[in-house]
Amino acid sequence: ICNYVIAVMKEYNIKRHYDSKHRHFDKFNEDERTAKARELFSKVTAQQQLLIQGGGVKQRSVTEASYEVSKLIAENAKPFSDGEFVKKCLVAVAKKWCPDKMDLFKSVSLSRNTVSRLVEELAYSVRHKLLEKGKQFEYLSIACDESTGITDCVQLLVFVRGIDTDLQITEELIGVRSIHGTTKGTDLFNEVVKAVDNIELDWVKLCRIITDGAPCILGTKAGIAELVKKKVEVLGGTVQKLHCIVHQEVVCAKAANLDGVVQSATKIINFIRSRALNHRTFKTFLESTNSDYGDIIYHAEIRWLSCGQTLA
């Protein structure tokens, strides 16, 4: 009616807004108020139809462009505020190549708030499509992995892979759960249950769970894999537990006893990185030899900075 937005939807706020803006509606009886509300609603609908009709193909293309850029920003983990910089780049290119299309490029909305809203809508769309896909799964499996970041916050990732009657395979990340308290098997299990239930998957169709070798995951009594297996068996299904193939390479590397190679490489790296002069000299040497690598990295006992990457 008045294009005002209530900051907090509480009874007191709405009553105060009504008393200050719409007290003149008190003179209407119930039937008159219903007719007036219907009249106001029809006006709003007419305005919306006018905006839709006036947009046309160009406005639709501008909106689609905003979605495409927002999707790229989200996929590359860039700040939402980068959308404004991208828009400046687009306008600069249009100024040189197609000056007659300048107005279209300028009308692409890529502000921080707009990009944030579009990313949320894209996420909702992905979840909606995954819900529809999940209803068609005949069998499905989940993969779980947890790791502690530099802020000591445990991140649990849950992936799902399902197959339908047409043998179409769908694989998707269904949850990234942050755990700030204890990380027992029961805690991780509860987060997995929330992730699976969030997309309304059928637990009976779960036939396999793949995990790494952490004790809280592989425990024979309270491990996450065992708890998932028990939950599915209670519902009438069966689950096979598998160890993650990627981490088996780490086990093989430790069993191969390559300490002589690793320790020598670690000493060399520490010598180069321990002094700023050594580091600068080494980088200059790499530049002079046209090396594909511009620098070296420390070896750390975490999976995203593996020993193999350091040696390479």
Side-chain angles (χ1 to χ4, degrees), residues 5-39:
V5 179
I6 304 298
V8 180
M9 296 297 288
K10 293 184 177 179
E11 181 180 358
Y12 172 77
N13 293 347
I14 299 175
K15 184 177 185 302
R16 183 180 61 180
H17 175 78
Y18 177 81
D19 292 339
S20 60
K21 299 291 184 181
H22 309 292
R23 176 59 67 181
H24 59 280
F25 285 105
D26 286 345
K27 62 183 179 181
F28 298 112
N29 59 34
E30 183 176 354
D31 295 336
E32 291 174 337
R33 291 170 69 90
T34 303
K36 189 66 176 177
R38 189 179 297 112
E39 177 188 349

Side-chain angles (χ1 to χ4, degrees), residues 258-271:
L258 300 175
D259 291 343
V261 178
V262 176
Q263 289 178 0
S264 300
T266 302
K267 289 180 181 180
I268 296 171
I269 292 172
N270 290 339
F271 173 78

